[in-house]
Amino acid sequence: MKPTAIISGGTGGLGQAFGAILRANGWFTVILCLPGPQLDGLKLTPDTLAIACDITDAAALLEAARVIREHRPSIDLVVYNAGITHIGPFTRQTLADHRKVFEVNYFGAVAMAKEFGPDVRHSKGTHLAISSVAGFCPLALRTAYAGSKHALEGFFKSLRSEERQHGASCLIAAPSFIATNTDAGTPKNSGIARPGSASDQVDAITPAQAAETLYRGLKRRRDFIPIGRVARLSNWINRLSPGLYQRLMERAILTQASQKPGGQTTPHGL
């Protein structure tokens, strides 16, 4: 029987690309995504199950879990890939938007880990959290996003210590710029946007390239998987000199923002 992987945000660029690699290597994938055109237009294979589910809705998540357990004998991998970002200065950000980012990026992942944790323990499987460079480094004009990803990393690093004794793993991946959601456009009002929708990304890699790196890290059971050259360099520089990293980030982000009309910037894939 094929092992089963659940992927939240599974219709996005990275979610689809990673799902394809898993299936090519003998996995059955369960795609969780909000109801809508993306889910409706998904081309399903015999080894894929797609479920409409808002992971911030407790009842919807419970029903999705029931359906998955009805169809699959085990849950071996849970990929926490669903996420949103917010672009703009903190002073212009509403508290409601800040909370919304946390609800999806952090509390949605925690709710999934709570629901599927016993299954992963039973299979001695893996929790795979998709964080970001903003999960271990500061990122100006992305305060809610960076805060949520820092929280996500803190949670799964702590959970790792609890789950290790049960034979389960907690891995964290940190992509930098991925050329996905490029047609999403720059947010005009609220600042809420889909990650990876930047028009000014640096050294962006394709979802397929990111998924290949992610799969290699999964196979090697790496606790931390940086994805992309920017991610690797950011990790190295931030470890060597956090102050230097902060200055370089500010020069790249804030200087660029000041050169745009109205002092705004477009979303980065960090």
Side-chain angles (χ1 to χ4, degrees):
M1 182 66 69
K2 293 182 176 182
T4 301
I6 300 172
I7 308 174
S8 68
T11 59
L14 179 58
Q16 286 202 50
F18 189 54
I21 286 181
L22 288 175
R23 290 189 294 274
N25 285 275
W27 286 76
F28 185 97
T29 57
V30 178
I31 305 302
L32 298 184
C33 188
L34 291 171
Q38 278 196 307
L39 188 62
D40 296 339
L42 198 62
K43 294 182 179 179
L44 299 180
T45 61
D47 46 6
T48 305
L49 174 64
I51 302 175
C53 178
D54 180 348
I55 62 172
T56 68
D57 183 327
L61 184 58
L62 186 64
E63 174 60 16
R66 184 195 66 77
V67 172
I68 294 168
R69 294 184 186 116
E70 186 178 86
H71 284 79
R72 304 302 300 166
S74 68
I75 295 172
D76 307 276
L77 171 65
V78 181
V79 184
Y80 305 86
N81 179 60
I84 59 174
T85 189
H86 183 283
I87 299 92
F90 176 68
T91 52
R92 301 181 193 173
Q93 182 184 114
T94 67
L95 187 57
D97 281 344
H98 202 102
R99 288 182 183 277
K100 183 175 182 179
V101 172
F102 265 78
E103 281 296 328
V104 177
N105 296 2
Y106 177 73
F107 286 108
V110 170
M112 285 184 64
K114 188 72 171 177
E115 180 61 39
F116 297 116
D119 302 277
V120 174
R121 275 190 181 185
H122 185 263
S123 66
K124 299 188 185 303
T126 303
H127 298 276
L128 176 54
I130 308 300
S131 180
S132 163
V133 171
F136 60 88
C137 291
L139 185 60
L141 303 179
R142 307 289 189 281
T143 50
Y145 183 71
S148 70
K149 291 298 187 179
H150 272 69
L152 186 75
E153 290 205 12
F155 171 76
F156 279 104
K157 286 176 182 176
S158 301
L159 186 65
R160 177 185 294 151
S161 298
E162 298 181 22
E163 295 305 298
R164 184 176 285 125
Q165 62 185 313
H166 300 283
S169 303
C170 290
L171 314 182
I172 298 171
S176 49
F177 296 96
I178 302 177
T180 183
N181 297 327
T182 52
D183 59 345
T186 305
K188 303 299 182 183
N189 298 311
S190 71
I192 294 290
R194 296 174 61 192
S197 54
S199 60
D200 55 356
Q201 299 182 58
V202 178
D203 252 3
I205 59 177
T206 67
Q209 291 171 323
E212 288 173 3
T213 301
L214 185 58
Y215 185 70
R216 286 197 300 271
L218 173 65
K219 283 184 64 178
R220 296 170 184 172
R221 318 302 298 169
R222 288 184 173 174
D223 285 347
F224 178 69
I225 309 167
I227 299 177
R229 190 176 73 95
V230 171
R232 294 192 298 271
L233 285 174
S234 295
N235 183 46
W236 182 79
I237 295 172
N238 191 58
R239 283 173 174 269
L240 180 68
S241 175
L244 173 61
Y245 177 86
Q246 184 120 19
R247 290 192 297 274
L248 292 172
M249 179 275 296
E250 289 171 356
R251 183 185 305 168
I253 301 297
L254 298 180
T255 300
Q256 183 175 204
S258 68
Q259 295 172 349
K260 291 182 178 292
Q264 295 291 337
T265 185
T266 53
H268 285 269
L270 295 176

